[in-house]
Amino acid sequence: MQDEESLVRRLQERDDEAWTGLYDEFFNRVYRYIRLRVGDRAEAEDLTEQVFLKALQSVSSYRWRGRPFSAWLFRIAHNQVVDHVRKTRHRRTVPLDESLPATSAADPVLLAEQRSILGQLAQSVGQLTGAQRAVIELRFAGELSTAETAQVLGKSPGAVKALQHSALVALRKILSRDRDG
Amino acid sequence: MDREFEDILDECIDRITLRGEGIEQCLASYPAYSAKLEPLLQAALSATKATSAEPRPEFKAAAKYRLLSALRAGREKRRGLSFTGRRWRWATLGVALLLLLLAGAGTVAASTNSLPDEPLYRVKLAAERVQMFFTASDTAKAKLHLKFAERRVKEIVVMAEKDKPEKVEDVTRRLSYHLEKVRPVARALGEKEGRGKDIAELRALLQRKAAKHRAILQNTLERAPVRARPSLNRALELSGQGYDKALQYILGDDRSRSWEIRPRPESEGLNDPQPPKIQRLTPLISPITPSPPPSPASPVPQSSAGISGPGDRSGHEHNLP
């Protein structure tokens, strides 16, 4: 806690090292979270950059209350995404596949198949309810702990665990249905 | 019972996703629940795979560069340099206006050809701000930003030829700024119905400028002094990204790759955690757009479970120094 409070102070003092550390720790996690929501790679990159610039603009008004700083950062990310989705609701989304990690397959056909499977998985997450999806996005893409996820969502850790449970049950059903059908 | 199971599931997810343990290890810890746990942990693994996209390393590095530039620009402001700077900016703007009124176009026209290492350059920038201020429509502003971007490219070329890499970096930031300002317009046009002519015009202009600027910068890179090449590479890279972004927004897909980033001759990698030249930079502009303090209660849709906090985006103009 002391460390995090000191980190926040250094961020507020615009310390290069603190910001570099924050960037290195969170950039990919925030990107994955946003990418899962918006689909398009370029837009996800742009929004991720905006999250950090927004954090830089807003950090001076951040008040340390013992809550995880990551929750604050992901709240910015969440609001960026909400704002973006609202503005671009009518636009088609680009399938999330081309920047999914290259697997061990050297064969382009196999690689394409694997990427397609990963794209389907991402679509399956998209079929969850809003609250379930939010938990999955924050826990798995954002790699937040249950406590941090609870802070971002304004829920109790118990409620997050329950949502996580129901989300995984639903995801399993969706995946089985897709596999069978 | 459910609560206990949810706690166990949560613990196993942490062990698998954060600590890298296998599903079997977790099932062995809770044999009584293994039948119920196993399919859910498999689903959790699937969710982990589904969320494993990574940003492009070159974008990540460029975004870091922009963040650190913004960080330093803000720090200078906080140190009070900006007070003088701001006064100087307003004074320059005032002088530019006065010159426009009193001396007519002559003085300002003289400044039009000034270079970043010359005294009249500030007048040139101030005159550009005045011109931007009096430009009404967003589309016209975007075109004007592209015109100024072309000026920046020409200035980069001259500064590189004069072997002044620090000036090349300064001007590159200004170039990035102009291209960033085109993006929201491109996005808005791409989303609107019935703006086909504007879209076609801006798209053609973007494609033309992108190709032209790439050719100019690449040509300069081949004959520039060695010391200026890393900053020229940066200019090539950032302008390429700037144009690609704007084109992606206006096209709404990936057909817009106006140029590929060429491998740089120097060994200096974009992935360096903190390239030395970033440290040397003393940014004159902030690439971020000042906007009102973030609202702690931005509207959140039903699905977002009541999340609020900073995060709205704005596309306001901001002053260049």
Side-chain angles (χ1 to χ4, degrees):
Chain A
M1 282 294 184
Q2 187 64 34
D3 281 352
E4 189 148 335
E5 189 175 2
S6 135
L7 170 69
V8 169
R9 198 171 53 249
R10 287 170 57 213
L11 292 171
Q12 289 178 326
E13 287 165 358
R14 294 174 178 262
D15 177 88
D16 269 6
E17 201 182 323
W19 276 97
T20 302
L22 182 83
Y23 186 91
D24 291 343
E25 168 71 24
F26 285 103
F27 192 89
N28 284 16
R29 291 163 63 182
V30 170
Y31 171 81
R32 284 197 289 267
Y33 167 72
I34 292 178
R35 182 71 199 275
L36 196 60
R37 291 293 300 266
V38 304
D40 180 70
R41 182 177 67 188
E43 288 182 357
E45 285 176 345
D46 192 30
L47 287 169
T48 307
E49 182 177 2
Q50 293 295 330
V51 167
F52 284 87
L53 292 173
K54 187 67 72 180
L56 181 60
Q57 281 181 307
S58 316
V59 73
S60 54
S61 60
Y62 179 83
R63 296 286 170 267
W64 171 256
R65 293 189 181 95
R67 293 174 185 164
F69 186 76
S70 52
W72 181 78
L73 190 67
F74 272 87
R75 278 170 75 139
I76 295 178
H78 175 83
N79 288 339
Q80 289 283 97
V81 167
V82 167
D83 194 33
H84 175 80
V85 168
R86 194 174 51 232
K87 283 180 185 164
T88 59
R89 195 167 287 151
H90 63 283
R91 275 197 350 214
R92 68 184 175 81
T93 56
V94 177
L96 191 155
D97 59 358
E98 83 265 17
S99 76
L100 288 166
T103 58
S104 53
D107 178 358
V109 177
L110 188 56
L111 182 62
E113 273 177 17
Q114 287 176 341
R115 283 185 167 165
S116 168
I117 291 166
L118 295 179
Q120 283 168 9
L121 282 173
Q123 283 178 352
S124 303
V125 174
Q127 292 177 47
L128 299 173
T129 68
Q132 288 172 342
R133 186 177 176 176
V135 169
I136 293 294
E137 285 162 351
L138 290 167
R139 283 283 277 142
F140 294 93
E143 294 176 18
L144 294 186
S145 67
T146 305
E148 289 166 332
T149 305
Q151 288 284 344
V152 178
L153 298 177
K155 294 181 180 297
S156 69
V160 168
K161 286 176 190 172
L163 276 168
Q164 178 175 256
H165 181 193
S166 65
L168 289 174
V169 170
L171 191 59
R172 182 176 159 253
K173 279 184 191 159
I174 294 166
L175 290 172
S176 311
R177 192 184 60 209
D178 289 350
R179 219 176 3 247
D180 298 341
Chain B
M1 173 72 173
D2 261 3
R3 178 59 60 90
E4 189 187 358
F5 179 74
E6 282 160 7
D7 286 341
I8 292 168
L9 176 64
D10 193 56
E11 180 202 316
C12 285
I13 287 169
D14 277 346
R15 285 169 60 180
I16 291 166
T17 58
L18 302 181
R19 286 182 245 157
E21 287 186 20
I23 290 180
E24 295 73 21
Q25 285 171 276
C26 215
L27 296 180
S29 304
Y30 298 102
Y33 290 101
S34 71
K36 198 174 168 188
L37 264 178
E38 202 264 341
L40 297 185
L41 293 179
Q42 292 290 0
L45 268 185
S46 299
T48 306
K49 282 182 194 163
T51 57
S52 54
E54 299 290 342
R56 288 172 300 152
E58 66 269 22
F59 176 84
K60 189 179 170 184
K64 186 177 190 177
Y65 169 82
R66 290 191 286 268
L67 178 75
L68 292 176
S69 295
L71 177 67
R72 280 162 201 153
R75 196 162 51 214
E76 282 177 12
K77 268 189 183 177
R78 281 162 64 95
R79 280 181 190 149
L81 293 176
S82 67
F83 182 62
T84 331
R86 205 162 38 232
R87 285 173 65 184
W88 171 246
R89 280 203 296 274
W90 280 108
T92 316
L93 189 61
V95 167
L97 275 169
L98 205 63
L99 287 172
L100 268 172
L101 292 170
L102 298 178
T107 309
V108 178
S111 76
T112 306
N113 294 323
S114 65
L115 293 164
D117 58 348
E118 293 172 357
L120 271 182
Y121 189 64
R122 280 180 176 277
V123 177
K124 176 182 180 177
L125 295 179
E128 287 182 359
R129 287 208 299 279
V130 172
Q131 200 179 345
M132 190 64 73
F133 180 79
F134 287 110
T135 303
S137 83
D138 286 343
T139 311
K141 274 185 195 289
K143 287 178 182 170
L144 197 53
H145 275 297
L146 287 175
K147 181 181 169 186
F148 294 158
E150 181 143 324
R151 285 186 188 172
R152 300 296 89 85
V153 168
K154 288 176 181 168
E155 290 162 4
I156 286 170
V157 169
V158 180
M159 290 301 104
E161 284 169 348
K162 284 184 164 184
D163 199 9
K164 292 187 172 177
E166 57 296 329
K167 289 289 178 193
V168 172
E169 288 178 348
D170 281 351
V171 182
T172 298
R173 278 196 298 279
R174 293 180 192 280
L175 172 63
S176 276
Y177 164 81
H178 289 304
L179 297 179
E180 274 176 30
K181 300 311 278 185
V182 177
R183 273 193 231 165
V185 180
R187 185 199 291 267
L189 280 177
E191 287 168 10
K192 279 179 189 166
E193 300 290 333
R195 300 289 296 272
K197 187 166 169 262
D198 285 343
I199 291 172
E201 262 184 31
L202 187 59
R203 183 175 60 208
L205 187 62
L206 278 166
Q207 285 168 334
R208 212 166 47 241
K209 296 275 187 194
K212 184 179 176 186
H213 295 171
R214 174 190 57 198
I216 292 173
L217 291 172
Q218 279 181 340
N219 185 36
T220 309
L221 184 63
E222 285 163 17
R223 54 191 164 81
V226 174
R227 211 169 68 93
R229 285 183 193 167
S231 48
L232 262 176
N233 265 316
R234 181 81 71 187
L236 246 172
E237 198 164 336
L238 291 179
S239 57
Q241 286 177 5
Y243 279 113
D244 280 346
K245 275 275 169 64
L247 280 163
Q248 276 170 5
Y249 283 139
I250 208 162
L251 293 170
D253 64 20
D254 282 338
R255 283 173 292 151
S256 57
R257 195 143 292 276
S258 59
W259 66 31
E260 293 300 328
I261 295 167
R262 305 287 171 90
R264 298 182 298 168
E266 289 71 24
S267 58
E268 184 177 20
L270 258 179
N271 289 324
D272 294 346
Q274 214 162 357
K277 70 177 153 188
I278 293 178
Q279 293 286 3
R280 285 204 310 274
L281 290 172
T282 309
L284 291 175
I285 60 168
S286 159
I288 55 175
T289 304
S291 60
S295 157
S298 301
V300 173
Q302 198 70 28
S303 64
S304 60
I307 305 163
S308 65
D312 61 315
R313 308 179 79 195
S314 80
H316 302 143
E317 287 289 331
H318 72 88
N319 289 333
L320 284 163

